[in-house]
Amino acid sequence: MGTTVAQLKPLAVVVVVLALLVAAARADYWNWNSGTATFYGGADGSGTMGGACGYDNLYNAGYGVLNAALSQVLFNDGASCGQCYAIKCDATKSVWCKPGNTVTVTATNLCPPNYALPNGGWCGPPRPHFDMSQPAWENIGIYRGGIIPVVYQRVRCSRQGGVRFRITGSQYFQLILITNVGGSGSIQSMSVKGTNTGWIGMTRNWGAQWQSNSALLKQALSFMVTSTGGQTLYVNNVVPAWWVLGMTFATNAQFDY
């Protein structure tokens, strides 16, 4: 006969509950969902640089050309920036598929709601849609198809090297762009600490840009970053006191989940 929760000791109950919560939080990593996909940005993907996540040059950010703009329902006001999705064409619904092929893309942009795409797609809610770079899309679809039905799932992001921090803003506030994020790929919360301060909570300004309303010039900076997977990294003194606006600082720290 199976063991019920009521029969377990208190510590075991805690373990069971935590395991259930973790499983629920990560359910989207294992389930395939239905959506549609189109492409943009040209054959070399150069037209996908920049975008609503703030990554600018996607090669410098660690993401490259295998990327996609998400429809609003997936973009989640920028909280999905950096997440990775495995996508394959649903060959049961279209003759324009390359059956058996799967491509993994990084979310780097927003496909605006109700935006009519030249090749026939649209990104309005509640439609799950990926406007992919052309090189990524052509892994799974035939060019003449334009728009294809797909199935997709969240997957773990694999990155080369550690996370990177780029500082912009002004003397009185800082915008921190965090890039090359592995594991869950996206950030849940972030704090900064200067040489002369304690930890200061930051807020998401837009996309992957996090804001601090503090005067931190001429102070070395440390960051406490928690991924949407629930892992927290403490990156101490990664920014030296001589930093200026516009600089990017690489680290050896990386997320596993």
Side-chain angles (χ1 to χ4, degrees):
M1 184 173 65
T3 302
T4 66
V5 172
Q7 293 172 306
L8 296 174
K9 295 180 180 179
L11 179 59
V13 172
V14 172
V15 171
V16 169
V17 171
L18 287 176
L20 291 173
L21 290 174
V22 170
R26 297 183 180 179
D28 58 345
Y29 280 82
W30 311 114
N31 295 329
W32 288 97
N33 303 282
S34 296
T36 49
T38 48
F39 61 85
Y40 79 115
D44 61 356
S46 60
T48 65
M49 299 294 117
C53 289
Y55 293 136
D56 295 327
N57 186 308
L58 296 177
Y59 287 101
N60 292 342
Y63 301 133
V65 74
L66 297 181
N67 59 73
L70 306 185
S71 61
Q72 188 178 46
V73 69
L74 295 174
F75 190 70
N76 194 21
D77 292 328
S80 298
C81 287
Q83 291 179 357
C84 295
Y85 296 84
I87 305 175
K88 52 188 176 182
C89 188
D90 189 349
T92 66
K93 298 179 180 179
S94 176
V95 298
W96 303 112
C97 295
K98 295 180 179 177
N101 290 3
T102 302
V103 64
T104 298
V105 298
T106 299
T108 60
N109 202 357
L110 168 68
C111 190
N114 303 318
Y115 175 63
L117 298 166
N119 46 13
W122 65 93
C123 296
R127 184 186 182 93
H129 184 87
F130 298 85
D131 198 19
M132 302 166 62
S133 71
Q134 185 174 332
W137 189 94
E138 289 196 272
N139 277 278
I140 60 172
I142 298 170
Y143 182 86
R144 294 192 307 278
I147 180 170
I148 54 175
V150 299
V151 291
Y152 68 93
Q153 65 176 196
R154 281 274 310 279
V155 294
R156 180 185 179 278
C157 298
S158 178
R159 305 295 182 206
Q160 296 293 317
V163 296
R164 305 165 190 168
F165 300 93
R166 181 171 183 261
I167 309 175
T168 56
S170 76
Q171 180 179 354
Y172 303 106
F173 75 94
Q174 293 75 46
L175 288 178
I176 307 297
L177 174 69
I178 181 169
T179 62
N180 200 48
V181 179
S184 61
S186 50
I187 301 304
Q188 175 179 295
S189 63
M190 190 167 166
S191 297
V192 61
K193 182 166 72 71
T195 307
N196 304 318
T197 76
W199 288 108
I200 301 168
M202 305 181 73
T203 56
R204 187 190 306 278
N205 184 290
W206 63 280
Q209 303 263 11
W210 290 78
Q211 181 171 336
S212 167
N213 296 318
S214 303
L216 295 173
L217 282 172
K218 299 183 180 179
Q219 296 185 57
L221 304 181
S222 301
F223 297 101
M224 177 173 59
V225 189
T226 300
S227 71
T228 51
Q231 182 182 5
T232 298
L233 294 181
Y234 290 85
V235 190
N236 294 317
N237 298 315
V238 62
V239 178
W242 45 260
W243 64 270
V244 295
L245 297 173
M247 297 185 73
T248 299
F249 297 90
T251 77
N252 294 320
Q254 188 54 273
F255 291 99
D256 297 313
Y257 57 90

